[in-house]
């Protein structure tokens, strides 16, 4: 495959491999099963592999068939896929939305429809099987790669895990998506639990907390709710920006917060911005958030991205040569989650085609991603580039701060987002900390108008556009 051809090759390699993986599984079953069984049960199935290869969703015609397939065949399907793919791949059975059968919809729609449908997971523990503390035991300090970007946050978290209730209470960790905030929180919980197995720990996403409050409200079970939260030794609460505009939740959280601090229990929180940058959260809560230690996690630098790739592929049982890791790390820059997605594609591609991991192979496996990246510029990327250029924090792109030194770069970033991406005004507003589309429109008009008259601004915009277009 030549480089020249690669950029305009339309289908996603993830889907290609996914479909051939599924097809191989079906072919194998055709040989194993009596013809009639195969024709009745297996042949009508369709499947889609989630783009990052974390799972395969198998669509079944109706509820009855779903139960039958689960009972009779899902074990064999899982085993075959695992054998072919080279590692465990989660198999999820779902009732096929009618349109999905017609195959006229995109992969993304598939996934959205599935989450809207009832779906049944085979093999893995159901959500009700979560441990009470909701800790994900696979997210630990051991597998969290350290670098300049997360050194401070990691050290503070480690301290909290070892000596909870003393320094840095609450610990407030903020940063953009996919940078390891959630991972770090679970690491704190897992470490404390390992050291002091009796500890009462709870990891909870802010949205879940909100729904707990709502439930307590409806069922009039606030006493239980309080007992549950106020008795903890360690509360890990993720993405507190979701508390915005939820007054009752904020009040309950404030109460829990005070009760926990009074008995020297530790609280760790994460958010996409620093406390004072949070929108629509009561001032008294914001000042509590800021009363311990606030640390940022930055996007990982090149060497850290390389280290993460090498580490993670080793965990998956494959060696990624350093030059390949550098190639990938140079091309996938936004966050660790994206890096993991790229790695999964490369490993799947290598296993499925039984080829060694090389730069050429990585280029092929990531063909789609690389060409999209060349053509498309993400809003995240614009925010980061503009923030760097004007020397403000990336978090200020979502914050509600209004001084001109911040508001202006933010308007410039909004203008560039409208100019350089396909996103709509409401979508852009959402990505800038949930702002209204009229705010975006105002920024676009203002900067667009001023650019005609102010040569200096025009110059700056040119530089930014060039940087972004690469
Ligand atoms: P966030 O909560 O900031 O959005 P996550 O904690 O969910 O990000 O991290 C996204 C993914 O990247 C997770 O799978 C996590 O394990 C992984 N990850 C993030 N940072 C690191 C790191 N420094 N080393 C190893 N894996 C990391
Ligand atoms: Mg998270």
């Amino acid at each position: 495959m030549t480089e020249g051809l690669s950029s305009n090759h339309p289908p996603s390699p993830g889907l290609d491999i996914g479909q051939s993986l599924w097809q191989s599984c079906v072919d194998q079953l055709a040989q194993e099963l009596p013809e009639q069984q195969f024709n009745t049960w297996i042949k009508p199935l369709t499947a889609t592999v989630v783009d990052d290869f974390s799972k395969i969703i198998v669509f079944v015609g109706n509820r009855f068939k779903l139960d039958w397939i689960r009972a009779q065949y899902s074990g064999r399907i899982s085993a075959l896929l695992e054998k072919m793919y080279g590692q465990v791949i989660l198999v999820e059975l779902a009732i096929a939305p009618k349109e999905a059968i017609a195959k006229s919809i995109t992969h993304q729609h598939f996934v959205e429809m599935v989450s809207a449908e009832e779906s049944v997971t085979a093999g893995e523990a159901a959500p009700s099987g979560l441990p009470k503390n909701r800790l994900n035991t696979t997210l630990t300090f051991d597998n969290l790669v350290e670098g300049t970007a997360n050194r401070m946050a990691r050290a503070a978290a480690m301290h909290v895990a070892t000596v909870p209730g003393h320094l840095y209470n609450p610990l407030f960790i903020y940063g953009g998506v996919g940078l390891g905030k959630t991972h770090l929180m679970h690491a704190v919980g897992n470490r404390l639990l390992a050291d002091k197995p009796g500890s009462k720990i709870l990891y909870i996403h802010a949205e879940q907390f909100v729904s707990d409050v709502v439930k307590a409200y409806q069922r009039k079970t606030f006493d239980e709710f309080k007992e549950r939260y106020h008795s903890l030794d360690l509360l890990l609460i993720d993405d507190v920006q979701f508390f915005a505009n939820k007054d009752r939740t904020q009040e309950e959280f404030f109460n829990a917060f005070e009760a926990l601090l009074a008995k020297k229990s530790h609280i760790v929180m994460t958010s996409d911005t620093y406390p004072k940058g949070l929108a629509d959260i009561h001032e008294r809560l914001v000042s509590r958030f800021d009363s311990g230690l606030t640390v940022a996690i930055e996007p990982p630098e090149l060497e850290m991205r390389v280290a993460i790739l090498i580490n993670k592929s080793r965990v998956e049982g494959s060696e990624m040569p350093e030059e390949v890791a550098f190639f990938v790390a140079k091309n996938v820059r936004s966050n660790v989650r994206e890096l993991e997605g790229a790695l999964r594609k490369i490993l799947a591609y290598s296993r499925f085609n039984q080829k060694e991991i090389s730069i050429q192979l990585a280029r092929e496996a990531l063909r789609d991603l690389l060409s999209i990246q060349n053509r498309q510029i993400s809003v995240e990327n614009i925010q980061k580039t503009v923030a760097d250029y004007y020397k403000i924090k990336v978090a200020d792109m979502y914050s509600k701060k209004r001084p001109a030194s911040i508001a202006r770069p933010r308007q410039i970033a909004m203008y560039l987002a409208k100019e350089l991406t396909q996103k709509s005004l409401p979508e852009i507003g959402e990505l800038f900390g949930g702002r209204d589309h009229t705010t975006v429109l105002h920024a676009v008009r203002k900067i667009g108008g001023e650019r005609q008259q102010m040569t200096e601004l025009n110059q700056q915009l040119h530089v930014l556009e060039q940087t972004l277009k690469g």
Side-chain angles (χ1 to χ4, degrees):
M1 213 162 298
T2 64
E3 268 192 75
L5 278 177
S6 65
S7 63
N8 49 26
H9 195 291
S12 146
L15 287 181
D16 281 350
I17 307 171
Q19 283 312 314
S20 30
L21 185 64
W22 172 244
Q23 196 50 51
S24 314
C25 175
V26 170
D27 292 346
Q28 180 60 33
L29 289 168
Q31 290 175 20
E32 291 179 6
L33 298 172
E35 195 181 333
Q36 209 204 325
Q37 253 188 52
F38 175 81
N39 286 339
T40 312
W41 300 107
I42 307 297
K43 214 171 159 195
L45 301 178
T46 56
T48 183
V49 172
V50 172
D51 206 30
D52 64 1
F53 281 83
S54 56
K55 69 177 167 197
I56 184 165
I57 302 160
V58 177
F59 294 99
V60 187
N62 58 41
R63 178 83 228 178
F64 167 73
K65 288 189 175 177
L66 187 141
D67 287 340
W68 186 259
I69 302 255
R70 186 171 39 174
Q72 301 297 320
Y73 302 110
S74 71
R76 184 63 192 147
I77 292 175
S78 295
L80 280 173
L81 288 170
E82 182 180 343
K83 192 163 144 234
M84 289 165 180
Y85 176 57
Q87 71 181 89
V88 178
I89 178 163
L90 193 64
V91 178
E92 195 168 290
L93 299 178
I95 297 177
K98 285 174 192 60
E99 300 88 317
I101 300 170
K103 284 197 175 167
S104 57
I105 50 169
T106 64
H107 170 70
Q108 187 54 39
H109 285 129
F110 260 130
V111 176
E112 280 163 10
M113 287 160 87
V114 169
S115 39
E117 282 280 321
E118 183 180 12
S119 74
V120 180
T121 302
E124 285 267 320
S128 58
L130 277 176
K132 237 179 122 198
N133 58 32
R134 299 185 205 223
L135 284 177
N136 178 341
T137 50
T138 65
L139 301 174
T140 63
F141 280 111
D142 293 337
N143 57 21
L144 184 80
V145 174
E146 183 177 347
T148 326
N150 67 0
R151 185 157 293 134
M152 270 272 286
R154 193 179 190 279
M158 183 73 101
H159 185 93
V160 168
T162 339
V163 205
H166 294 268
L167 284 179
Y168 317 145
N169 201 8
L171 175 60
F172 190 99
I173 303 166
Y174 71 92
V177 291
L179 297 182
K181 302 183 297 295
T182 299
H183 187 137
L184 197 51
M185 270 197 158
H186 284 280
V188 172
N190 285 319
R191 171 61 61 93
L192 178 62
L193 198 63
D195 290 351
K196 300 193 188 92
S199 308
K200 281 197 191 156
I201 302 174
L202 179 67
Y203 164 86
I204 190 162
H205 191 269
E207 277 182 314
Q208 179 69 43
F209 187 88
V210 174
S211 91
D212 280 7
V213 170
V214 173
K215 266 186 223 144
Y217 220 148
Q218 289 168 339
R219 298 179 191 159
K220 303 195 171 53
T221 49
F222 265 113
D223 289 343
E224 274 167 49
F225 175 90
K226 285 200 177 105
E227 202 177 291
R228 173 153 175 245
Y229 279 96
H230 297 197
S231 68
L232 295 168
D233 298 313
L234 172 65
L235 173 61
L236 306 162
I237 185 148
D238 211 355
D239 290 324
V240 294
Q241 73 272 12
F242 281 102
F243 285 164
N245 291 321
K246 310 272 185 344
D247 289 346
R248 182 67 203 246
T249 302
Q250 290 183 29
E251 195 182 317
E252 284 312 318
F253 186 63
F254 182 82
N255 293 338
F257 195 99
E258 296 284 278
L260 290 172
L261 283 197
K263 62 190 262 294
K264 286 204 188 310
S265 298
H266 220 111
I267 299 168
V268 182
M269 287 173 282
T270 69
S271 157
D272 64 355
T273 183
Y274 53 94
K276 293 212 167 56
L278 284 165
D280 302 315
I281 294 202
H282 295 168
E283 186 48 42
R284 61 173 188 173
L285 209 47
V286 169
S287 69
R288 292 295 191 293
F289 289 176
D290 229 351
S291 63
L293 178 70
T294 300
V295 277
I297 300 191
E298 303 287 340
E301 68 281 5
L302 180 69
E303 290 78 3
M304 185 170 166
R305 297 200 297 275
V306 169
I308 289 173
L309 283 166
I310 293 181
N311 244 284
K312 288 198 185 280
S313 61
R314 198 164 288 159
V315 170
E316 302 286 333
S318 299
E319 278 299 312
M320 176 176 281
E322 205 173 289
E323 52 162 18
V324 180
F326 266 98
F327 169 78
V328 178
K330 275 192 193 139
N331 283 291
V332 183
R333 283 167 297 201
S334 51
N335 65 48
V336 184
R337 195 170 291 145
E338 303 265 304
L339 216 52
E340 288 181 336
L343 175 69
R344 272 197 217 105
K345 282 189 181 171
I346 292 171
L347 294 182
Y349 201 88
S350 145
R351 280 175 189 146
F352 198 69
N353 296 303
Q354 302 188 338
K355 284 193 198 159
E356 295 268 296
I357 299 176
S358 64
I359 292 189
Q360 178 57 24
L361 179 127
R363 211 190 284 279
E364 282 168 28
L366 303 181
R367 191 175 47 204
D368 210 43
L369 192 143
L370 297 180
S371 63
I372 286 177
Q373 208 168 52
N374 290 341
R375 272 182 283 119
Q376 289 183 7
I377 299 168
S378 72
V379 175
E380 266 178 37
N381 210 337
I382 292 172
Q383 291 171 330
K384 174 150 186 5
T385 308
V386 175
D388 282 352
Y389 187 83
Y390 291 104
K391 306 209 169 19
I392 64 168
K393 295 179 182 173
V394 181
D396 277 321
M397 291 290 167
Y398 332 114
S399 78
K400 59 174 175 182
K401 279 199 175 176
R402 293 213 186 91
S405 58
I406 289 173
R408 187 158 175 85
R410 193 159 54 213
Q411 288 181 327
I412 288 174
M414 287 181 195
Y415 167 81
L416 289 171
K418 186 70 198 123
E419 188 194 41
L420 300 175
T421 75
Q422 301 298 316
K423 296 257 188 284
S424 66
L425 295 171
E427 283 169 334
I428 294 172
E430 195 49 47
L431 291 164
F432 279 82
R435 289 184 151 76
D436 196 74
H437 70 97
T438 53
T439 308
V440 183
L441 183 62
H442 172 70
V444 171
R445 290 199 177 136
K446 179 156 174 274
I447 302 296
E450 287 180 8
R451 143 169 236 184
Q452 310 297 326
Q453 277 128 43
M454 301 163 68
T455 37
E456 198 191 350
L457 174 65
N458 193 31
Q459 189 67 30
Q460 293 172 355
L461 287 169
H462 268 304
V463 173
L464 286 165
E465 283 157 355
Q466 288 314 312
T467 315
L468 286 162
K469 286 178 183 162

